Amino acid sequence: MKNHRLLACATAILALGATAAHAKDDAASWPTRPVRLIVPFPAGGSTDVVARLIAERLGQKLGQQFVVDNRPGAAGNIGTDQVAKASPDGYTLTLTTSGPLANNKYLYKSMPYDPAKDLTPIVLVGEIPLVVVSTDKTPAKNLKEFIALAKAAPGKYSIGNPGNGTIGHLAYELLRHNTRTDFLGVPYKGDTPAMTDLLGGSIQAIVAPITAFIPQIQSGKMNGLAVTSKKRFPGTPDVPTAVEQGFDVEASVWFAVAGPAGMPRPIVDKLNREINLVLNSPEGRAKLEQFGAVVGGGSPEQLDSLMKVESAKWKRIIEDANIKLD
């Protein structure tokens, strides 16, 4: 009986070793067929354009086609959910944003997946900082002066944002919360109508991703009061950060590549290495800078940490402001 047990134990160990070796071999030869890269937003946007560059370069380097598949809807939740529920074999990935990876789980009552449990972080692609802008109609040259004006006249100064639940809306609430200032928040349906009202004097400022505002700031039509990144944004070097001015306000739209939970680590490492090379190439940097993005990169662990930190930060703000999208 004892010999039978020893034999069974040895057989199990050998089988486990063979399975591990097989998995390692599969990871080493991956990919052996086309890989689907789901973008949970419409074609033509910044996320889609960057995804197509990465897909093209990965296909050239790894010898298999990386097919970009746009699956928009529910602020990115629909496409990201398809990845969360896919097989973790490395053949279904997503290039998605901070919404589906961190914020949306607190904005929506019913989420079809949990990014912390159902996804494998692979690499941060880039970040687009937000900016607080005004015009010469407002007598403030920076955020510190603007907040002083607002504190002196509670409820008088209004700040527009691109819409309920957007990162601009969340950043507005973060600004209001951390500076303890009584602003009037005005949500719009996108940047353009907010810009129109700002230039017309109906509102006094806007907080939104910097991309659409770079030409306006560079031409002098709008005043950059602060950027919400850790460092000054290269495209608007004269605009100070909120942190520089003494305010704990950091917010950005960031986008990253992820896969289903349980992906083999060798595949994750291979993707991470190759995407980092794309991001740090002259073409990769130029493409990201075209959309006002700062190049990301780094390890899967760094992305995992970012997801956790951002999730905790926005949970507090969303619950404090009672923001709901469904």
Side-chain angles (χ1 to χ4, degrees), residues 208-228:
I210 198 169
T211 307
F213 297 90
I214 295 172
Q216 306 286 347
I217 295 171
Q218 291 175 340
S219 68
K221 290 183 179 179
M222 293 185 182
N223 299 325
L225 302 180
V227 289
T228 61

Side-chain angles (χ1 to χ4, degrees), residues 153-170:
K156 177 182 177 181
Y157 285 84
S158 55
I159 301 180
N161 66 71
N164 284 325
T166 63
I167 189 64
H169 182 195
L170 301 188

Side-chain angles (χ1 to χ4, degrees), residues 58-315:
L58 288 178
Q60 292 171 352
K61 186 65 181 291
L62 299 177
Q64 290 290 339
Q65 188 177 13
F66 281 68
V67 181
V68 174
D69 185 4
N70 297 92
R71 298 284 174 167
N77 289 348
I78 291 176
T80 308
D81 180 51
Q82 291 186 6
V83 177
K85 290 179 169 55
S87 171
D89 54 11
Y91 290 95
T92 305
L93 309 169
T94 182
L95 197 158
T96 188
T97 67
S98 42
L101 293 178
N103 313 344
N104 289 359
K105 65 185 293 185
Y106 305 112
L107 292 169
Y108 289 85
K109 291 179 182 177
S110 56
M111 278 285 287
Y113 65 94
D114 183 342
K117 297 178 181 177
D118 299 330
L119 295 171
T120 295
I122 295 173
V123 65
L124 176 69
V125 171
E127 297 184 70
I128 300 175
L130 276 67
V131 66
V132 184
V133 295
S134 68
T135 67
D136 289 335
K137 293 182 175 67
T138 301
K141 299 302 180 186
N142 54 51
L143 183 60
K144 192 171 185 177
E145 292 180 5
F146 184 81
I147 288 175
L149 289 171
K151 283 184 178 293
K156 177 182 177 181
Y157 285 84
S158 55
I159 301 180
N161 66 71
N164 284 325
T166 63
I167 189 64
H169 182 195
L170 301 188
Y172 160 76
E173 294 293 350
L174 180 67
L175 178 66
R176 180 190 62 79
H177 182 278
N178 286 4
T179 63
R180 299 185 179 184
T181 306
D182 184 14
F183 300 114
L184 176 64
V186 184
Y188 287 85
K189 292 184 178 179
D191 295 329
T192 302
M195 281 189 192
T196 300
D197 276 4
L198 177 63
L199 293 170
S202 299
I203 57 175
Q204 285 71 55
I206 298 172
V207 58
I210 198 169
T211 307
F213 297 90
I214 295 172
Q216 306 286 347
I217 295 171
Q218 291 175 340
S219 68
K221 290 183 179 179
M222 293 185 182
N223 299 325
L225 302 180
V227 289
T228 61
S229 45
K230 289 182 175 65
K231 299 178 180 179
R232 294 195 182 198
F233 179 67
T236 56
D238 294 331
V239 179
T241 68
V243 174
E244 277 181 67
Q245 300 176 65
F247 304 111
D248 181 18
V249 180
E250 289 187 22
S252 66
V253 179
W254 46 272
F255 34 109
V257 176
M263 282 181 61
R265 183 64 196 223
I267 294 178
V268 173
D269 287 342
K270 184 183 287 189
L271 279 164
N272 178 274
R273 181 176 63 253
E274 297 301 335
I275 294 172
N276 267 295
L277 290 173
V278 176
L279 297 177
N280 287 292
S281 68
E283 183 182 16
R285 286 185 174 277
K287 187 66 69 175
L288 287 164
E289 289 170 2
Q290 177 184 336
F291 297 106
V294 178
V295 173
S299 69
E301 287 75 20
Q302 287 174 307
L303 174 57
D304 183 53
S305 176
L306 176 67
M307 289 170 62
K308 289 174 181 174
V309 168
E310 288 279 289
S311 183
K313 176 174 73 177
W314 294 122
K315 177 179 187 291

